[in-house]
């Protein structure tokens, strides 16, 4: 009994925790947090469908009027923020290591940033022609989604998710931000960019899900 007691007392809790963290750090997102990889499919579907619906009304600005179109943009913004909030509520939280940031705080901050960035345009946005004004607003939403992916990849490092899986979020954030920056300068994207983004994001979400669950 004494030997057993001595053995238990010789265990270093900090060393044991470090070893467990190293083991978890070698695991993928789907292995470490089963079911979380499906969030890519959920986000891809929600954002893809919303973008396509917005694109369907893109050429009706003059017909719908400014007020109706602002309502459509607002709806797209709400869907994007709701998607981020939904994803944050399903990401690992109860298993959060000490000091890991809150997902809802992270995504809530992104939503607040989007609203603030929209407000910063102020009266200047009203002086921009309808198409360019729409591109400004939708571009901000798309860029915020890209930023959200980059931040997600960075935060997952605190949850000991292996770097290989976090690269999916970094790569996704990078191409989304790049896409948003090119929308005003490519003629085809000026008219079809939002709908095309919805298709591309849905395809990337499917590819990301396959990558995370098959790796």
């Amino acid at each position: 009994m004494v030997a057993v007691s001595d053995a238990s007392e010789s265990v270093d809790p900090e060393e044991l925790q470090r070893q467990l963290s190293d083991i978890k750090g070698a695991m993928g997102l789907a292995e470490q947090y089963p079911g979380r990889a499906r969030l890519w499919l959920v986000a891809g579907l929600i954002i893809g469908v919303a973008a396509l619906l917005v694109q369907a009304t893109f050429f009706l600005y003059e017909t719908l009027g400014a007020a109706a179109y602002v309502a459509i943009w607002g709806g797209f913004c709400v869907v994007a923020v709701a998607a981020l909030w939904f994803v944050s509520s399903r990401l690992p939280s109860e298993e959060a290591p000490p000091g890991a940031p809150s997902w809802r705080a992270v995504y809530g901050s992104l939503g607040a940033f989007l609203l603030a960035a929209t407000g910063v345009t102020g009266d200047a946005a009203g002086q921009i022609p309808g198409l360019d004004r729409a591109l400004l607003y939708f571009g901000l939403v798309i860029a915020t989604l890209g930023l959200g992916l980059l931040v997600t990849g960075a935060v997952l490092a605190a949850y000991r998710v292996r770097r290989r899986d976090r690269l999916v979020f970094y790569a996704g954030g990078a191409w989304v931000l790049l896409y948003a920056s090119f929308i005003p300068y490519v003629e085809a994207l000026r008219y079809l960019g939002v709908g095309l983004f919805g298709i591309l994001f849905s395809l990337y979400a499917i590819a990301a899900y396959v990558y995370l669950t098959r790796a």
Side-chain angles (χ1 to χ4, degrees), residues 60-126:
L60 302 178
Y61 182 84
E62 298 298 335
T63 304
L64 294 174
Y69 208 76
V70 168
I72 293 173
W73 171 82
F76 182 57
C77 181
V78 169
V79 168
V81 173
L84 288 173
W85 190 263
F86 175 80
V87 169
S88 71
S89 68
R90 297 299 187 273
L91 285 169
S93 56
E94 65 277 3
E95 309 96 334
S102 164
W103 288 109
R104 291 198 169 184
V106 169
Y107 285 114
S109 299
L110 288 172
F113 164 79
L114 177 59
L115 295 176
T118 303
V120 166
T121 60
D123 294 336

